[in-house]
Amino acid sequence: MASSSIFVLSLAILLCFTQSSSGVDEITYAADASKVSLALYYESLCPYCSNFMVNYLPKIFSNGLIDIIDLKLVPYGNARITADNVITCQHGPNECVLNTVEACAIYVWPSLDKHFKFINCVETFVYKGQQSEWRSCFSKLGYEEKPVKDCYNSGLGKKLDLKYAKETNDLIPPHKYVPWVTVNEVPLYDDYENFQTYVCDAYKGTPATVCQGKQLEISTKAKSDQLVKVTYIEETSPATKIMSTVAKGRRQMRF
C-alpha cells in the first residue's frame, strides 16, 4: 500500500513538473467549454486592426459579453518569415517591434484583463498616429516595463513571434487579410465588426443580457460601394486615408 501511494505521489509530482517547465510551448489557452472562443489575428500597425481594437473590442468588457467569451489575441498578421527565420512585417520594422512587444505583454501578463489594457493602450496611440508614444502605456497603467523589455531583448520575444506565426499560418481556411476574426474557429471575414452578434448566436447557454432579442442577420447586400476595412496580405504600401495616419512620423522604434 505504501509503495502504491509513493508511486501515485511521484506521478503527480512528475506531471506538475512537466506542466510547469519553462518554454514557449507551455503557453496555452485553457478555454472554458461553456464559453465562445473569440480570436483576433492582427498586426500592430494595421489601421483597421487598431480601429477594431480601440472602437469595437473593448465593448465586450462594458456590456458583460466577456462573461461568455474566451478571447485570444494573436499579434502577427500578414508578416512573413524567410528560410532562416527572419521576420519581415507588412508595415515595416516598427510593426515588428510592436508585434513583439504585444506578444511579450501577453506572455508576461497572462491575465486577459491586464494584457488587453496594455495592448489597447498601445493600439490607441497607433490609431491616433502617435505610435512612437507607446512606452507611456507602462506609466499610464502603472505596469512595470522591465519584464516586457527583458522578454523582448532575451530572444523569448522572437520565439513568441515564431509561435504566433505558426498559429496564424496554420489557420484553416488560411487568413486572407487582417483583422482576421474567428468565432469558435470560424472566420467572420469582412463582417468582423459584427462579431458580437456571431458570439451571441454561437453561445448555447442562457443568453447574456446583451444577447437577448438579438438574432443573427448576415447581410447579403453587395458592399461594392463600401470600403472593405481590411489589409490584404499582398498590400505593401498605404493605399487609403486611414492608413496615412499610421505613416505619420514613422521613425525607427527601439526597445
Side-chain angles (χ1 to χ4, degrees):
M1 179 68 70
S3 60
S4 176
S5 298
I6 293 174
F7 173 75
V8 172
L9 178 60
S10 300
L11 180 60
I13 293 173
L14 177 61
L15 287 173
C16 290
F17 177 79
T18 301
Q19 292 174 353
S20 62
S21 59
S22 62
V24 174
D25 290 342
E26 77 176 27
I27 306 173
T28 58
Y29 298 88
D32 185 331
S34 67
K35 293 186 176 183
V36 177
S37 173
L38 175 67
L40 169 61
Y41 298 82
Y42 72 104
E43 56 195 22
S44 60
L45 294 186
C46 159
Y48 306 115
C49 298
S50 61
N51 177 56
F52 183 70
M53 183 76 74
V54 172
N55 296 315
Y56 290 85
L57 205 50
K59 294 178 182 178
I60 67 175
F61 295 94
S62 60
N63 64 17
L65 203 61
I66 187 59
D67 294 336
I68 65 171
I69 289 176
D70 271 315
L71 176 63
K72 178 173 66 174
L73 305 178
V74 183
Y76 178 76
N78 297 334
R80 298 179 186 274
I81 303 177
T82 63
D84 52 352
N85 279 344
V86 173
I87 299 175
T88 58
C89 296
Q90 189 167 33
H91 297 93
N94 289 344
E95 181 163 77
C96 284
V97 171
L98 288 184
N99 282 354
T100 306
V101 166
E102 294 183 10
C104 283
I106 295 169
Y107 181 85
V108 169
W109 302 307
S111 167
L112 172 64
D113 181 64
K114 191 161 186 177
H115 69 243
F116 183 84
K117 286 179 180 176
F118 179 80
I119 293 173
N120 176 262
C121 178
V122 173
E123 292 302 319
T124 297
F125 280 117
V126 173
Y127 181 73
K128 294 178 179 179
Q130 302 169 347
Q131 59 271 22
S132 63
E133 304 298 318
W134 70 269
R135 288 178 188 79
S136 65
C137 288
F138 291 108
S139 58
K140 181 178 180 180
L141 297 170
Y143 289 5
E144 188 179 354
E145 179 178 336
K146 187 177 184 299
V148 175
K149 191 170 185 176
D150 287 347
C151 169
Y152 183 93
N153 291 324
S154 67
L156 174 57
K158 176 66 175 295
K159 292 179 181 178
L160 293 171
D161 290 337
L162 294 174
K163 174 185 180 294
Y164 285 135
K166 184 178 188 307
E167 190 171 334
T168 301
N169 292 333
D170 285 350
L171 281 168
I172 299 176
H175 88 288
K176 300 178 179 179
Y177 41 70
V178 289
W180 189 259
V181 180
T182 65
V183 170
N184 287 345
E185 300 184 0
V186 178
L188 305 189
Y189 297 100
D190 62 349
D191 199 28
Y192 65 88
E193 290 181 351
N194 192 33
F195 76 97
Q196 293 188 72
T197 307
Y198 288 87
V199 168
C200 290
D201 185 68
Y203 186 60
K204 303 306 178 185
T206 302
T209 302
V210 68
C211 293
Q212 293 176 3
K214 181 177 286 189
Q215 297 180 340
L216 182 61
E217 296 179 359
I218 303 176
S219 175
T220 58
K221 182 179 178 180
K223 299 180 180 180
S224 58
D225 59 337
Q226 299 181 26
L227 174 66
V228 178
K229 299 178 181 180
V230 298
T231 300
Y232 287 90
I233 292 176
E234 59 271 16
E235 289 183 19
T236 57
S237 61
T240 64
K241 182 178 294 186
I242 191 171
M243 293 187 75
S244 65
T245 62
V246 171
K248 289 180 181 177
R250 187 181 279 169
R251 296 174 294 178
Q252 183 65 41
M253 293 179 182
R254 302 291 182 190
F255 195 168

